[in-house]
Amino acid sequence: MMSCGSGARPGPSPRMRGRPTFQDVLPAPTQPLPRFSVEIPPPDLSRWRGGNCGIPGVIHLEATRPGPHVVLTALIHGNEYAGATVLDTLLRDDLRPTHGRLSLIFANLDAFARFDAANPVASRFIDEDMNRLWCRRTLNGPRQSAELDRARVLLPVIESADILMDLHSMLWPGAPLILAGGAESGRRLSAMVGDPPLIVSDHGHRAGPRLIDFERFSAPGGQAAACLLEAGSHWDSGTVTATQQAVHALLRHSGLRPPDRSPPAAAPRHMMVTDIVTAHTPRFRFVKPFRGGQVVPRRGTLLAQDGPDEIRTPYDDCMLVMPNLRPGRGQTAVRLATSAPDPAIRNGA
Ligand SMILES: [Zn+2]
């Protein structure tokens, strides 16, 4: 189980306990998800299914000159294929790293194969969320699932990564961002990429550790670094563009591709998650359809009702990170973030 927040929250808890009313103990009415439009077609990945290194869906590209092992993972969530579209383009364009090794991973191809534009949210995973199982105990344990079995097959590549970027997208509308996790190495990597220019440090989900939280990337003093890109709405063409930009920035800054003449990007904004708001009831409802990245200026503003409880901003200028407008009971409904110092400034570098 992940810890919640950093203990540095500048304000009270966002949850104000209320007394349950008769309404609150009734079963919640089921609310259907809205129709999500699918603008981009799923890529044809049949050429890469077999991989080139003995692991299905994994392609290694080697340079002759030494350099870091950079890993790009797409399809950790089977229905988030903008990242897979970008990796497919890199491969079709015959991209070659100038230094080091680049590994491209199509993670959950079996879930992706089930994608259906008529029900695009259904193929996120087969048995369980593949981004909640990255700890030794789970990976080495006896439990089996489609996603755990696949994670075990991918593990040798993950274990040898120096730099990893995990490519994701979002169901609900919101500004693209880089999740840096809780480690200093992740914050530095995210700052180095800097595109999109919004970096959010956090401590994961209560439901289990993400790939970027895996010990290789989060152990204190560790040399490997990982970050997670949330590039925009799952099936929006702008999400492919945002992913392309982030991937190219990563490859340039890690030395696998030569620098280009693009002007330096604006300094990114750094935020720190202070609170993870989990839905305690099936009745969790936001008071309006907030967007991810939206900043609520006033402390005490009502954000949501969760059965008898009210969820309010605990401090001024509170950023809502990826609100889930229809959370199930026990799911993350929103993360709340406050401004954090730039790690380069903090370390005097
Ligand atoms: Zn995802």
Side-chain angles (χ1 to χ4, degrees):
M1 188 173 281
M2 302 298 295
S3 65
C4 152
S6 63
R9 185 203 316 119
S13 166
R15 184 178 292 271
M16 315 280 170
R17 300 271 177 201
R19 287 170 72 90
T21 63
F22 181 61
Q23 271 292 325
D24 294 319
V25 295
L26 289 176
T30 39
Q31 287 207 2
L33 286 171
R35 267 191 82 83
F36 294 99
S37 72
V38 177
E39 269 183 32
I40 51 168
D44 174 6
L45 303 176
S46 49
R47 282 167 71 182
W48 322 121
R49 235 184 191 279
N52 71 350
C53 61
I55 304 176
V58 178
I59 318 283
H60 289 317
L61 303 171
E62 302 274 356
T64 50
R65 283 179 281 186
H69 180 200
V70 175
V71 176
L72 295 170
T73 45
L75 295 177
I76 286 283
H77 291 136
N79 61 346
E80 301 177 12
Y81 53 72
T85 299
V86 170
L87 299 195
D88 176 51
T89 305
L90 292 180
L91 288 166
R92 284 173 198 273
D93 291 349
D94 200 23
L95 172 112
R96 297 282 150 193
T98 54
H99 292 78
R101 168 190 270 194
L102 177 62
S103 295
L104 308 180
I105 298 182
F106 299 100
N108 201 342
L109 282 168
D110 290 343
F112 169 69
R114 297 182 177 191
F115 182 79
D116 175 3
N119 187 11
V121 293
S123 50
R124 180 175 169 87
F125 54 77
I126 292 175
D127 294 327
E128 63 177 319
D129 191 326
M130 199 178 182
N131 214 21
R132 303 286 183 272
L133 41 75
W134 293 92
C135 67
R136 283 273 171 225
R137 235 172 77 196
T138 306
L139 291 166
N140 293 347
R143 202 162 65 73
Q144 289 193 304
S145 70
E147 281 72 21
L148 254 174
D149 295 347
R150 178 64 173 151
R152 289 170 182 139
V153 168
L154 298 176
L155 199 54
V157 188
I158 304 299
E159 299 254 48
S160 63
D162 299 309
I163 292 173
L164 180 142
M165 186 189 263
D166 190 16
L167 307 175
H168 288 253
S169 50
M170 311 188 243
L171 181 61
W172 302 100
L177 56 93
I178 306 176
L179 284 176
E184 186 66 24
S185 58
R187 279 193 283 277
R188 289 182 161 273
L189 173 64
S190 306
M192 183 187 83
V193 174
D195 187 354
L198 173 59
I199 295 167
V200 178
S201 301
D202 72 350
H203 292 266
H205 295 268
R206 291 194 176 109
R210 302 163 297 189
L211 177 53
I212 63 166
D213 304 317
F214 187 49
E215 63 182 32
R216 180 161 181 85
F217 311 112
S218 61
Q223 292 305 303
C227 64
L228 186 160
L229 176 71
E230 293 284 4
S233 299
H234 291 333
W235 309 295
D236 192 308
S237 55
T239 303
V240 175
T241 311
T243 306
Q244 240 156 10
Q245 287 173 207
V247 164
H248 284 287
L250 176 79
L251 295 178
R252 282 197 308 275
H253 293 302
S254 57
L256 267 67
R257 297 294 301 151
D260 66 10
R261 290 167 196 273
S262 50
R269 179 171 191 193
H270 290 260
M271 304 295 291
M272 170 70 75
V273 169
T274 56
D275 296 271
I276 302 170
V277 178
T278 303
H280 287 183
T281 77
R283 291 180 172 275
F284 191 105
R285 293 289 175 267
F286 285 97
V287 295
K288 59 179 177 180
F290 290 107
R291 279 180 68 87
Q294 189 170 340
V295 175
V296 178
R298 291 246 169 262
R299 167 181 168 158
T301 304
L302 182 65
L303 300 176
Q305 195 79 38
D306 188 8
D309 297 350
E310 288 181 350
I311 310 297
R312 292 182 179 271
T313 48
Y315 42 80
D316 289 348
D317 297 324
C318 175
M319 181 180 279
L320 309 188
V321 177
M322 297 175 68
N324 174 356
L325 301 185
R326 290 273 191 288
R329 187 185 199 153
Q331 288 182 337
T332 300
V334 67
R335 285 160 275 184
L336 306 178
T338 188
S339 284
D342 182 327
I345 295 170
R346 192 167 52 212
N347 290 283

